[in-house]
Amino acid sequence: MSYAIPAPVVPSLPIIGSDQRFPVRRIFCIGRNYAEHAREMGATVDKDTPLFFCKPADAVVTDGADVPYPQATADLHHEVEMVVALSAGGRDIPADQALARVWGYGVGLDLTRRDLQAVAKAKSHPWDVAKAFDHSAPVSALRPASEARLDGDTALTLIINGEQRQHGRLGDMVHGVAEIIAILSTLFELKAGDLIFTGTPAGVSALKRGDQFHAELAGVATLEGRVA
């Protein structure tokens, strides 16, 4: 097949302990999946109607690259999250079969132009410009699921300039990984290469140019970088 213009590069993530890379197809995100974060944002959790949104695959930032401070905002916020990478997908996946679709795990930042999000919320507009902008999804190298030891006490932490900003446990999630995959598959056909950001604990706040960040999913993955 020939294309009229050069084909776009497929975004990808490094894999811990391997020279291979994980190709990224789509990025799905769940909002308000930690009750304390929902409260700090003045929202409530509706367990029966999870809130989902998407980011473009080429929003990933990885391999230690700087994160450019985005245009059109004066209030860039960090949201540290566990990231799930899928090796297979489908529609209407039963929750008890969902984890078999997981290839691996990492840690990432759901960067948010909070001022633009506030305007969108006030007008009942979509959040795309607040969430789906360029370089809005820094993600660590992935650890294969077979090597990841996760439970409800696994810690999710973000340190900015040496100071802890966010800290939570995976057991604090309103919807667990299997449930998120099952619900998403009723809305989209999931496929290999999809990433899922699984929500953020309380403590979100602003990032400034020059800030150094260290995100960690304990015992699984770390992400370090700088806001340029």
Side-chain angles (χ1 to χ4, degrees):
M1 179 185 296
S2 62
Y3 296 100
I5 62 172
V9 174
V10 176
S12 65
L13 300 176
I15 296 168
I16 295 170
S18 174
D19 292 331
Q20 294 183 313
R21 296 183 70 87
F22 184 90
V24 179
R25 189 186 83 99
R26 299 178 80 175
I27 301 175
F28 299 97
C29 307
I30 184 171
R32 301 174 186 171
N33 201 33
Y34 286 76
E36 287 296 324
H37 169 60
R39 279 192 282 272
E40 76 178 349
M41 298 304 296
T44 57
V45 174
D46 183 352
K47 194 174 189 326
D48 294 329
T49 311
L51 173 65
F52 293 108
F53 57 93
C54 296
K55 291 176 181 276
D58 63 2
V60 296
V61 180
T62 191
D63 297 295
D66 286 346
V67 177
Y69 195 95
Q71 63 197 83
T73 186
D75 196 19
L76 176 68
H77 276 210
H78 56 71
E79 299 187 11
V80 66
E81 312 202 6
M82 176 173 67
V83 178
V84 176
L86 300 186
S87 58
R91 295 188 179 97
D92 300 318
I93 300 168
D96 62 1
Q97 299 176 22
L99 295 184
R101 269 80 168 178
V102 175
W103 187 92
Y105 298 91
V107 63
L109 297 182
D110 166 18
L111 297 180
T112 304
R113 295 194 280 205
R114 193 69 74 195
D115 43 1
L116 301 189
Q117 186 186 40
V119 171
K121 285 181 177 180
K123 296 182 177 181
S124 298
H125 287 177
W127 293 5
D128 296 62
V129 297
K131 290 286 193 178
F133 54 93
D134 299 338
H135 315 293
S136 61
V139 183
S140 71
L142 299 175
R143 186 176 296 279
S146 60
E147 301 173 9
R149 301 292 177 261
L150 297 170
D151 58 33
D153 289 326
T154 300
L156 182 62
T157 306
L158 178 65
I159 295 171
I160 304 294
N161 300 328
E163 176 187 353
Q164 182 173 293
R165 293 271 190 94
Q166 291 186 264
H167 180 77
R169 300 165 50 256
L170 297 188
D172 297 331
M173 291 195 297
V174 176
H175 301 279
V177 173
E179 189 178 5
I180 292 171
I181 293 171
I183 297 170
L184 262 179
S185 73
T186 69
L187 302 169
F188 304 91
E189 181 180 5
L190 302 179
K191 293 188 177 182
D194 289 341
L195 299 182
I196 303 173
F197 278 62
T198 58
T200 193
V204 302
S205 60
L207 287 167
K208 297 181 175 61
R209 292 172 177 84
D211 281 350
Q212 302 275 350
F213 57 82
H214 175 95
E216 183 173 357
L217 181 61
V220 177
T222 59
L223 170 68
E224 294 188 342
R226 181 177 73 97
V227 181

